[in-house]
């Protein structure tokens, strides 16, 4: 049973693992040089970083974010849907192996391979990006276009969260394959559903997985970074590496208010800050501090692993009660 399961998905596994091996080799070759550079120049890393390093940074980010989606589509969705679509499930379910054991073997062999692939990619990319993430969290100047590791654009490609994402995406694909019973529609449904979950999580769930910080800052404490027609759009509030959840400008009464036109025409940012402070304007900021990174990582991983277990239980229940 194990050997048969491996034979059925070995082509997909070979493609992904070959790509990951090449990525790992690339990171292994370029990573030590980046680490040595950070050890030498510290927070001045961004002044010395090369365009090749930026390319590798975003390549690694893209690969880790895509691995769970690819696994869900190409490993999870066809796993049972192919059997149901071709009718081979009738033969498998009438053998001495029970349906539960049949499904458990498929889920275990392919699921372990899926989680291992995501873990390999996440470990390699997290290690390689470590110097950049440290420089960003230390407030190194010139960090653009790099993001804090707690930022939604990067968070899913660091730490242990990719493991949870991969497990969930894989079981999601299996579940939709069981329900849809057609391989290609199940693959499309898996991609769409997984993408929707990845939008919902950072917008409405992740911000509440750890206690956020609310700060009301005068413009002597917070320096304006950009000023729009209606309000101050962004400030530097002395928390490098933080994930800003919301930010708004309030007047002396504490109410959100547009700025007078005169404030957007001041000669410099420092003059704007002085004028805003004198007029009683403040900046209200809600953020997740950089120190909450691992709390959010473990909480989100637990959620996705829990969802994966629940979906696996549903698949087992559905297959046991289904007539051939």
């Amino acid at each position: 049973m194990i050997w048969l399961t491996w034979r059925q998905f070995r082509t997909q596994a070979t493609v992904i693992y070959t790509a990951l091996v090449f990525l790992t080799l690339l990171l292994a070759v370029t990573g030590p040089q980046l680490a040595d550079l950070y050890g030498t120049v510290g927070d001045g890393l961004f002044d010395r970083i090369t365009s090749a390093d930026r390319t590798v940074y975003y390549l690694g980010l893209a690969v880790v974010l895509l691995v769970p989606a690819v696994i869900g589509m190409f490993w999870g969705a066809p796993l049972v849907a192919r059997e149901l679509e071709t009718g081979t499930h009738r033969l498998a379910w009438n053998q001495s192996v029970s349906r539960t054991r049949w499904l458990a073997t498929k889920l275990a062999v392919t699921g372990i391979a899926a989680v291992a692939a995501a873990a390999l990619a996440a470990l390699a990319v997290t290690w390689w990006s470590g110097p950049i993430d440290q420089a960003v969290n230390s407030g190194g100047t010139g960090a653009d276009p790099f993001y804090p590791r707690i930022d939604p654009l990067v968070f899913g490609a660091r730490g242990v969260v990719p493991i949870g994402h991969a497990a969930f995406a894989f079981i999601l694909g299996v579940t939709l394959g069981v329900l849809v019973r057609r391989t290609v529609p199940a693959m499309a449904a898996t991609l769409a559903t997984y993408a929707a979950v990845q939008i919902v999580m950072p917008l409405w769930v992740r911000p509440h997985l750890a206690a956020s910080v609310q700060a009301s800052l005068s413009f002597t404490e917070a320096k304006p970074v950009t000023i729009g027609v209606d309000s101050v759009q962004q400030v530097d509030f002395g928390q490098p590496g933080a994930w800003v959840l919301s930010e708004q400008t309030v007047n002396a009464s504490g109410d959100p208010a547009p700025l007078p036109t005169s404030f957007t025409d001041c000669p410099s940012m420092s003059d704007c800050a002085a004028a805003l402070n004198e007029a009683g304007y403040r900046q209200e900021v809600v953020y997740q501090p950089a120190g909450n990174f691992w709390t959010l990582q473990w909480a989100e991983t637990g959620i996705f692993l829990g969802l994966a277990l629940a979906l696996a239980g549903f698949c087992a229940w559905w297959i046991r009660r289904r007539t051939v």
Side-chain angles (χ1 to χ4, degrees), residues 253-276:
S253 300
D255 300 319
L259 301 180
T261 306
S262 58
F263 285 144
T264 63
D265 297 330
C266 42
S268 66
M269 284 293 185
S270 59
D271 292 330
C272 286
L276 290 168

Side-chain angles (χ1 to χ4, degrees), residues 209-236:
L209 298 181
S212 59
V213 177
Q214 299 183 0
S216 179
L217 308 166
S218 70
F219 285 95
T220 55
E221 301 172 286
K223 300 177 182 178
V225 176
T226 57
I227 296 182
V229 175
D230 295 329
S231 66
V232 176
Q233 302 297 320
Q234 187 180 7
V235 297
D236 177 4

Side-chain angles (χ1 to χ4, degrees), residues 65-121:
L65 293 177
L66 287 174
V67 162
V70 171
I71 285 173
M73 286 180 62
F74 294 98
W75 291 15
L79 192 70
V80 177
R82 186 192 299 113
E83 304 271 8
L84 298 174
E85 189 173 21
T86 59
T88 54
H89 68 287
R90 296 186 180 91
L91 175 62
W93 291 357
N94 284 288
Q95 303 299 312
S96 59
V97 177
S98 68
R99 296 184 185 188
T100 301
R101 182 182 171 188
W102 174 83
L103 178 64
T105 302
K106 282 181 167 291
L107 293 184
V109 173
T110 315
I112 290 172
V115 168
L120 173 62

Side-chain angles (χ1 to χ4, degrees), residues 5 15 34 49 64 71 74 100 121 170 189 191 194 200 211 217 222 283:
T5 301
V15 170
L34 184 64
I49 206 163
V64 180
I71 285 173
F74 294 98
T100 301
F170 169 66
L191 179 60
Y194 180 75
V200 169
L217 308 166
Q283 193 76 352

Side-chain angles (χ1 to χ4, degrees), residues 141-199:
T141 58
D144 289 338
F146 302 106
Y147 297 90
R149 63 178 184 170
I150 200 173
D151 188 274
L153 290 174
V154 179
F155 185 83
R158 298 288 189 272
V160 296
V161 155
I163 295 174
H165 289 179
F168 168 73
F170 169 66
I171 299 296
L172 175 66
V174 175
T175 304
L176 291 174
V178 163
L179 296 176
V180 176
R181 302 184 62 198
R182 295 291 184 271
T183 302
V184 174
M187 292 170 67
T190 298
L191 179 60
T193 305
Y194 180 75
V197 170
Q198 290 302 312
I199 293 172

